[in-house]
Amino acid sequence: MNLPSTELKQPEPNKQRQDKFYSDMKHLFLFIMIAGMLAGCSPMDDNYSNFLEDGPVVYLAKLEADSVQVNAGRYRLGISWPKLDDVRPKKATITWANGTSSTGVDVKDGSSTSVVIGSLDEASYIFEITLYDDEGNSSLTTSVTGTVYGEAYEKYLQNREVTAFDLQDSQATLTFDELAGETCIGTEVLWGQNGQDNTVLMDSATSQVVLDGFCSSSFRYRAMYKPEAAAIDTFYSTASVYALNTDVLSFSKTTGRLEVNFAAVTDDHYAGIDMNWTSDGEAFDYRLEASSGFTASVDPGEAAGIQYRTVFIYDGQEYYSGYAELEILQPVDLDRSGWSVSVSHALPADAAISNAPESLTDGDGGTCLSMVKPGKSYGGVTVGEEETVYFIIDMGTDRTFDYFRILHRDNGNTNLRAQKYSFYGSDDGASFSAISEGVAVDAGQLSLMGDLPKSTYRYIKVTYDQWSSSSSTMQIAEFNLGVRQ
């Protein structure tokens, strides 16, 4: 029996070499990958180890800028924020002026945090707030802005004005003008009496206030402002003082001294009474101190009168009432007995009056001197337009005078009254020197008195300088001179 022969087949030479190549390449690629990974991971692992050497970085929750309240003040401001959801922050640092200034504040658990930063210049600021926990971990920085106010802002604040003051039975009613502006929050009124300062605050919308039991002579008032609604300080306008002057109860002048008794001033801010006068061209002043009572003794010299005002002090600054005038020399009319009058022109006939030169000095207001105006004709008399109309009084001897009196004819017609006069004096009745020229008077007044330089003459000449173009005559019922003494 013939058995089949068994024949072992070997791979073809090319195929065998190809399989071996692929196997070798796989091992080589795997080696390269492992070597590369080992080479790459070793330095990365070193850096990562260094990064985590102190543990991971921890950040606290950042403040929201719109939750921070910055409130303006006077050379200071307040910063606050509500309680935090993050309970870890225990402190906060606030820096400003580009980090050159800073302050710290404790952060309260479960409640809001606030701090007032003082000693700041008047300016706008940027504040940077950073939160910290007990481990030194911090939040990101929050920036907020705020404004600090001071003198530069305050000096432009407008005060209110008192438009009316009424005092009845120790009840003073003050009326102020309207002061517009949302930043004005009210008005402060202060006065002092019986050893106590009293203060009333008025709302900005209120224009009138009543001070009950008021027996002072002054009060101070100033408007109050807040530059921002939530400002931590109130600002004030420059204060004004409403001051009443005291009265003169009596005065007397003996042996060159003037004794003046003033009404008492019941005001805790009363500081005295200022007096001033002029004598022989020299000015004098005197203060009656509050500690000296209310009677002043001064030497007024040749002064005809003195001015006086009441002085008050608020916060070290003096305030004053208006001046009042006290005439210490009383007018005394000269005795006209023996006076004679001459005139520049003939007098017109007038059936309605008794027209004569002596009517000026007869003491009868029903008679008068009537003279035709320049450029007019009346009652048979014509006066040229360029002519001067005047009268001359001979007082018989030298007389001293410093004022004149005129009483016009009382018929209501102001066109019959001159509007301007000139006065001249003479010792011989021929050569006259000017005393006062072009003295305007109020033709609407029936009786008037005017000052003249103190003079001594026997003769006085009065010229008519200005008049109304209506009517034809100028009429004076009485004329006199006098001297204050």
Side-chain angles (χ1 to χ4, degrees):
M1 173 175 85
N2 291 324
L3 296 174
S5 64
T6 302
E7 184 178 1
L8 297 176
K9 295 183 177 181
Q10 296 295 327
E12 297 178 4
N14 289 340
K15 177 95 166 93
Q16 185 179 16
R17 286 194 299 269
Q18 187 179 28
D19 289 341
K20 186 176 185 305
F21 173 78
Y22 285 140
S23 176
D24 291 341
M25 289 301 293
K26 286 180 181 179
H27 285 91
L28 178 60
F29 181 72
L30 180 60
F31 173 79
I32 292 172
M33 285 184 61
I34 292 173
M37 290 178 64
L38 291 175
C41 287
S42 177
M44 179 183 292
D45 184 60
D46 290 341
N47 290 339
Y48 184 70
S49 297
N50 293 335
F51 182 71
L52 295 179
E53 183 176 350
D54 295 324
V57 175
V58 176
Y59 284 104
L60 306 181
K62 176 186 176 182
L63 273 176
E64 294 296 333
D66 56 7
S67 72
V68 180
Q69 183 73 37
V70 183
N71 299 324
R74 181 192 303 273
Y75 299 113
R76 63 177 188 163
L77 52 69
I79 298 178
S80 63
W81 57 85
K83 71 174 183 177
L84 304 175
D85 293 332
D86 189 345
V87 299
R88 293 173 296 168
K90 302 302 179 185
K91 293 184 179 296
T93 297
I94 303 174
T95 63
W96 63 94
N98 294 321
T100 60
S101 298
S102 66
T103 189
V105 57
D106 292 333
V107 177
K108 300 178 182 179
D109 292 334
S111 63
S112 61
T113 301
S114 63
V115 62
V116 174
I117 302 174
S119 301
L120 296 174
D121 292 331
E122 189 172 5
S124 293
Y125 292 85
I126 297 176
F127 297 92
E128 295 187 334
I129 307 172
T130 307
L131 303 177
Y132 294 90
D133 64 11
D134 289 337
E135 304 300 324
N137 299 309
S138 65
S139 68
L140 296 177
T141 297
T142 300
S143 296
V144 293
T145 60
T147 302
V148 174
Y149 297 87
E151 181 181 351
Y153 164 76
E154 200 166 40
K155 72 179 182 180
Y156 289 106
L157 298 179
Q158 181 183 0
N159 199 9
R160 301 179 75 173
E161 294 298 329
V162 177
T163 59
F165 174 78
D166 181 64
L167 180 60
Q168 299 289 337
D169 299 327
S170 298
Q171 186 180 75
T173 302
L174 283 55
T175 304
F176 291 86
D177 64 353
E178 299 292 337
L179 184 58
E182 295 181 356
T183 59
C184 179
I185 61 172
T187 304
E188 176 195 77
V189 180
L190 179 145
W191 73 101
Q193 61 190 44
N194 302 322
Q196 179 178 350
D197 272 339
N198 305 273
T199 303
V200 168
L201 300 180
M202 297 171 54
D203 184 84
S204 59
T206 303
S207 61
Q208 193 172 83
V209 65
V210 175
L211 310 181
D212 288 319
F214 183 87
C215 61
S216 298
S217 295
S218 70
F219 58 86
R220 184 184 70 179
Y221 58 96
R222 56 183 181 174
M224 304 183 298
Y225 290 81
K226 282 199 172 182
E228 300 170 10
I232 60 176
D233 291 313
T234 300
F235 294 80
Y236 298 90
S237 69
T238 300
S240 300
V241 169
Y242 192 97
L244 303 175
N245 206 356
T246 190
D247 295 322
V248 172
L249 298 179
S250 63
F251 69 94
S252 60
K253 185 180 179 184
T254 57
T255 63
R257 301 295 298 180
L258 176 69
E259 303 286 331
V260 184
N261 298 313
F262 293 98
V265 181
T266 57
D267 190 306
D268 290 351
H269 294 276
Y270 166 70
I273 299 171
D274 281 347
M275 306 168 64
N276 62 71
W277 61 91
T278 300
S279 177
D280 292 331
E282 184 176 356
F284 296 86
D285 59 81
Y286 171 80
R287 172 167 292 186
L288 176 62
E289 299 291 346
S291 59
S292 300
F294 295 96
T295 299
S297 178
V298 297
D299 180 4
E302 297 298 320
I306 63 171
Q307 287 187 319
Y308 65 93
R309 64 182 180 180
T310 308
V311 186
F312 303 88
I313 294 181
Y314 285 82
D315 293 336
Q317 182 176 350
E318 290 190 351
Y319 297 87
Y320 312 95
S321 70
Y323 273 109
E325 182 82 20
L326 172 64
E327 291 187 1
I328 58 178
L329 296 181
Q330 299 303 302
V332 178
D333 291 349
L334 299 184
D335 181 2
R336 297 181 294 180
S337 301
W339 288 14
S340 62
V341 183
S342 60
V343 294
S344 59
H345 294 78
L347 302 182
D350 192 333
I353 59 173
S354 176
N355 189 12
E358 292 75 17
S359 296
L360 288 179
T361 60
D362 65 2
D364 184 357
T367 64
C368 71
L369 171 63
S370 176
M371 301 192 73
V372 176
K373 297 176 181 178
K376 299 280 187 176
S377 296
Y378 185 77
V381 176
T382 298
V383 177
E385 189 170 350
E386 300 300 322
E387 296 181 32
T388 300
V389 176
Y390 61 86
F391 61 84
I392 297 175
I393 295 178
D394 178 2
M395 295 180 285
T397 186
D398 286 349
R399 305 293 296 273
T400 299
F401 51 88
D402 58 18
Y403 68 85
F404 67 89
R405 289 188 189 274
I406 290 178
L407 175 66
H408 292 117
R409 180 187 175 191
D410 187 12
N411 69 345
N413 186 357
T414 59
N415 293 322
L416 299 177
R417 303 170 184 176
Q419 301 167 347
K420 190 176 289 187
Y421 299 91
S422 288
F423 301 83
Y424 304 88
S426 174
D427 294 324
D428 59 11
S431 177
F432 285 87
S433 300
I435 298 173
S436 187
E437 296 180 303
V439 179
V441 299
D442 183 358
Q445 293 186 21
L446 178 64
S447 177
L448 54 87
M449 176 178 174
D451 292 331
L452 293 172
K454 196 170 187 177
S455 307
T456 302
Y457 291 105
R458 172 178 173 174
Y459 299 90
I460 183 166
K461 177 181 178 180
V462 181
T463 65
Y464 298 79
D465 293 352
Q466 185 174 307
W467 48 85
S468 168
S469 60
S470 301
S471 301
S472 299
T473 62
M474 298 172 286
Q475 302 179 358
I476 300 176
E478 294 290 318
F479 179 87
N480 204 352
L481 299 171
V483 60
R484 294 177 175 85
Q485 58 187 14

